[in-house]
């Protein structure tokens, strides 16, 4: 029987190979393509109808711990097999040509994005929109403070003070470097007049806001406290300044 089956398969393949030369491929006509599309649509409609009819009969079953464990193991196996098949690659540094192409592509993308956006029409904020924005800001501020909670105050150590002074010095140096050199402009008589008028106006407004005070007589106790305060300030200033290096008085300094 086995020999007969093998002989039959060999004869079948030989006859099929011989008959294959007699067949020619035929291009599907528009009618056949239309019939295939209609058949696909009919199959989809029938599938949707069957799905709606069987919705009430389907019971959702939750995954058991055993099924969850098998799923996790399968993910781990897939990850391990994927890494083994990938094998370690060779890192290639970016050449100047690649960097140039990348920058050009970024510029082209930016230009196309701006062209696709077009020009918009600015619309002023309505009073209702402004009110909603202000309310949202207040709500956000309140919720931020509630979520922030109460912090723990920490004492300022000498190390923190030193870092703070260094940071201020760095910031000052960087600010001056970024600022560059400005162009000095001469002060005209008109600018001097406006400056004096502004100082006079500020002085008048300050005196009006301050009002009239009540003069108090200077007592001996007040004189003593003032004198002690000046001495303490002088001592603290000298301690903080430390000992400097004496400089010779040059003729320029004398002049």
């Amino acid at each position: 029987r086995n020999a007969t089956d093998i002989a039959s398969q060999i004869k079948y393949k030989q006859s099929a190979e011989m008959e294959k030369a007699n067949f020619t491929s035929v291009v599907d006509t528009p009618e056949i393509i239309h019939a295939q599309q209609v058949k696909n649509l009919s199959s989809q409609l029938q599938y949707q109808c069957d799905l709606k009819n069987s919705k009430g009969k389907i019971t959702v079953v939750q995954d058991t711990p055993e099924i969850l464990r098998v799923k996790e193991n399968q993910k781990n196996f897939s990850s391990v097999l994927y890494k083994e098949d990938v094998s370690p690659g060779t890192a290639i540094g970016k050449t100047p040509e690649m960097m140039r192409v990348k920058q050009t592509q970024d510029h082209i993308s930016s230009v196309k994005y701006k062209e696709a956006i077009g020009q918009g029409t600015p619309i002023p904020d309505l009073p209702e929109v402004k009110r909603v924005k202000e309310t949202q800001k207040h709500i956000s501020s309140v919720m931020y403070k509630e979520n922030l909670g109460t912090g723990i105050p920490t004492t300022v150590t000498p190390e923190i003070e030193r870092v703070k002074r260094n940071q201020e010095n760095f910031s000052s140096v960087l600010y001056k470097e970024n600022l560059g050199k400005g162009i000095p402009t001469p002060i005209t008589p008109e600018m001097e007049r406006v400056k004096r008028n502004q100082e006079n106006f500020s002085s008048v407004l300050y005196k009006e806001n301050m009002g009239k005070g009540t003069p108090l007589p200077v007592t001996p106790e007040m004189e003593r406290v003032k004198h002690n305060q000046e001495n303490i300030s002088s001592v603290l200033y000298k301690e903080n300044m430390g000992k400097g290096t004496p400089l010779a008085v040059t003729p320029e300094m004398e002049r």
Side-chain angles (χ1 to χ4, degrees):
R1 286 181 59 185
N2 291 334
T4 303
D5 293 336
I6 293 171
S8 298
Q9 290 179 5
I10 293 173
K11 288 182 179 180
Y12 175 75
K13 290 180 181 179
Q14 289 177 353
S15 60
E17 291 292 335
M18 292 173 63
E19 292 177 357
K20 191 181 288 185
N22 299 327
F23 295 101
T24 57
S25 59
V26 180
V27 181
D28 291 339
T29 60
E31 290 78 8
I32 295 175
I33 295 173
H34 175 68
Q36 289 179 351
Q37 293 176 352
V38 172
K39 181 181 178 182
N40 293 333
L41 294 175
S42 301
S43 300
Q44 291 179 4
L45 292 174
Q46 187 64 33
Y47 173 75
Q48 291 178 358
C49 292
D50 295 340
L51 182 63
K52 290 180 181 178
N53 295 330
S54 61
K55 266 187 178 179
K57 301 177 182 179
I58 297 174
T59 305
V60 180
V61 180
Q62 295 182 350
D63 293 337
T64 60
E66 184 66 20
I67 294 176
L68 294 175
R69 186 179 65 80
V70 172
K71 284 184 177 180
E72 290 295 328
N73 292 337
Q74 189 64 32
K75 290 179 182 178
N76 295 331
F77 292 152
S78 300
S79 177
V80 171
L81 292 174
Y82 173 74
K83 291 180 180 179
E84 290 178 353
D85 294 336
V86 170
S87 74
T90 304
I92 301 174
K94 292 182 179 179
T95 61
E97 184 67 18
M98 293 170 65
M99 295 293 291
R100 186 183 64 78
V101 172
K102 186 177 180 181
Q103 292 177 357
T104 305
Q105 188 64 32
D106 292 339
H107 296 327
I108 294 171
S109 300
S110 177
V111 171
K112 287 185 177 180
Y113 174 74
K114 292 179 180 178
E115 290 178 353
I117 288 179
Q119 296 180 353
T121 304
I123 301 174
D125 290 338
L126 301 175
E128 183 66 19
V129 176
K130 292 181 179 179
R131 186 182 64 80
V132 171
K133 283 184 178 180
E134 291 294 329
T135 306
Q136 188 64 32
K137 287 180 182 178
H138 296 323
I139 294 172
S140 300
S141 177
V142 172
M143 294 182 69
Y144 173 75
K145 292 179 180 178
E146 289 178 355
N147 295 329
L148 194 60
T150 306
I152 300 172
T154 57
T155 57
V156 179
T157 61
E159 183 65 18
I160 295 176
E161 285 287 344
R162 186 181 63 79
V163 172
K164 186 177 179 182
R165 285 196 300 271
N166 291 338
Q167 188 64 33
E168 290 176 354
N169 295 332
F170 292 152
S171 300
S172 177
V173 171
L174 291 175
Y175 173 75
K176 291 179 181 178
E177 290 178 355
N178 294 328
L179 194 61
K181 296 180 179 180
I183 301 172
T185 56
I187 299 176
T188 61
E190 183 67 20
M191 293 172 66
E192 286 286 346
R193 185 181 64 78
V194 172
K195 186 177 179 181
R196 285 196 300 271
N197 291 338
Q198 188 65 31
E199 290 175 355
N200 294 332
F201 292 152
S202 300
S203 178
V204 171
L205 292 174
Y206 176 74
K207 291 179 179 178
E208 289 180 354
N209 294 330
M210 286 292 289
K212 296 180 179 179
T214 304
L216 298 175
V218 180
T219 61
E221 183 67 21
M222 293 172 64
E223 287 286 347
R224 186 181 63 79
V225 171
K226 184 178 180 182
H227 186 67
N228 291 338
Q229 188 65 32
E230 290 176 355
N231 293 334
I232 293 170
S233 299
S234 177
V235 172
L236 291 175
Y237 175 75
K238 291 179 180 179
E239 289 179 355
N240 292 329
M241 285 293 289
K243 296 180 179 180
T245 303
L247 298 175
V249 180
T250 61
E252 183 66 20
M253 293 170 66
E254 288 287 346
R255 185 177 63 78

